[in-house]
Amino acid sequence: MLNSTNWRKTAEAIAIPIGALLFSLVLFGVFCALAGKNPFEVYGLIYKSAFGNWRAFQGTLLRAAPLMLTALCTALPARLGLMIIGNEGALVIGGLASVMAGLVMSYGSVVPSAEQLKSVSGLPPIFVLLVMALAGIVAGGLWIAAVGALRHYRAVNETISSLLMNYIAIAIMNQLVGGPIKDPGETIKASSYALPDIYRLTNLPSTRIHYGLLYGIIVCAIAYFLIQHTTFGFAARTAGGNVKAARIAGLPVGKLTIIICFLAGSCAGLAGMVEVAAVHGRVNESLVAGYGYTGILVAFVARYNPIACVLVSIVLGGILASGGALQRSLEMPDATALVFQGLVFLVILYSESLYGRLKIFKEPTPKAPVMSPPSTAAPAS
C-alpha cells in the first residue's frame, strides 16, 4: 500500500498535468472565440475526428505510433538530469539510414540502376525489415550519443547541441536526397529511391494501423522496466538526482550518460524507420513532419514516464488527426492543431513550477503536543 507521502506525490503527478491540459483547453477556446468560431463546436469536432468512431481512432493511433518512440528520446535522458530535444534529428537520421539499408538489401545499391530495379533480391521480408530497424536504431542512437558525449566530456549544453543537430540532420537528408541518392524519376519533390512494396511494414489485420504501433507500445514497456526495475535504471536515476553523490558512490556517470543517450536516440531512430517503412516508402521532406518536436511535449506531459507516454501520445495523436477536419468543416487553418499544441506546451512548462508548492499535496505539519502546566497544589499531608 502507498503511504501518505507516496499517495500525495502520485496524486500530484496526475492532477497537475490533467489540470494543465484542461487549462490549455480553456485558452484554446478563447483563441477559437477570437477567431469567430464556437469553442464547443471546435471541441466536438476534435473529439469526433480523433475518437468519434473506429475509423477516426485508427487515424489517431497512426499518428500516436511515432510519438511514443520520439517521446522516449526526451524521457530517458531526463531521468539522468539531461534535457535533450534532438528527437526530430534522430528520427530523420534513423529514417535515412533505414531506407539506405533497405535499398541495399533490396537492389544491392542505394542508387540502383534500371536493370537492378527490375528485380528484387528475394530476401525474406522479415529479415530485411529487421536490418532496416537495426540501421535506424544504430544511426539514431549514435546521433544522440554524440550529444551525451559532448555534454559529459566537453560540458556542451545538451539542450542547445541537440536542437542544433536537428537542423544538421535535416540538412544532411536534403543534401543526399537532392543529390547523391536522388531518384530522377520522382519529379514532385526530391526523394530517394522507393522501397519495394514487399519490404514495407504491413498493417494489423482488418485495420489501417501499421505494426509500428506495436513497436511503440513494446519499446515503451521495455523502457519502463529498464528504468524502474533494473540496477541500471536505479543507477541512472541516482546519477540524475545528484551527480556528485553518484561519483562518490563510484557510479560510472560518463558511461551511463552515453548509454542512456544512445538508447534515447535509438527509439527516435526506430520511429524514423517506422515512418519510411510504413508510411512514406522513401526519404524526402515529408519525413520532417514534426513528430520529434511533438514527442518532446509528450514526454513533458507524461512526466518522463514511458508507460504514460503511450496514453499521452494517443491524446496528442488525436489532436494532430483533427487538423484536417478543422480546415474542411470550419474553414480554420490546418495549423490550428499546432496552436493547441503550443498552448499545451507553454502551460505544461509553467505547471512545472507548481510541483511541491500546492498545499493540497503537501504533508500536513504535525502539531506539537500541548504540555499541561505543572501542578502547584500542595501535596496532601
Side-chain angles (χ1 to χ4, degrees), residues 88-98 135-136 139-140 143 168-169 172-173 269 287:
E88 191 81 4
L91 181 148
V92 169
I93 288 296
L96 181 63
S98 62
W143 192 256
I168 294 173
I172 291 173
M173 181 200 70
L287 185 59

Side-chain angles (χ1 to χ4, degrees), residues 162-245:
S162 60
L163 175 62
L164 294 178
M165 288 186 73
N166 286 336
Y167 299 104
I168 294 173
I170 294 171
I172 291 173
M173 181 200 70
N174 289 333
Q175 176 66 23
L176 290 177
V177 301
I181 65 172
K182 180 180 180 180
D183 179 4
E186 185 66 24
T187 58
I188 298 177
K189 61 178 70 173
S191 305
S192 69
Y193 284 83
L195 295 168
D197 290 340
I198 191 176
Y199 297 139
R200 299 279 300 275
L201 270 182
T202 57
N203 293 341
L204 297 170
S206 303
T207 71
R208 59 191 185 98
I209 306 169
H210 53 69
Y211 277 92
L213 178 66
L214 293 184
Y215 291 3
I217 294 173
I218 292 171
V219 171
C220 284
I222 293 173
Y224 177 81
F225 178 81
L226 178 68
I227 294 297
Q228 296 296 136
H229 299 287
T230 65
T231 54
F232 173 81
F234 177 76
R237 286 183 283 119
T238 302
N242 191 318
V243 175
K244 291 184 178 180

Side-chain angles (χ1 to χ4, degrees), residues 11 58 84 111 174 189 277:
Q58 289 182 75
I84 288 179
V111 187
N174 289 333
K189 61 178 70 173

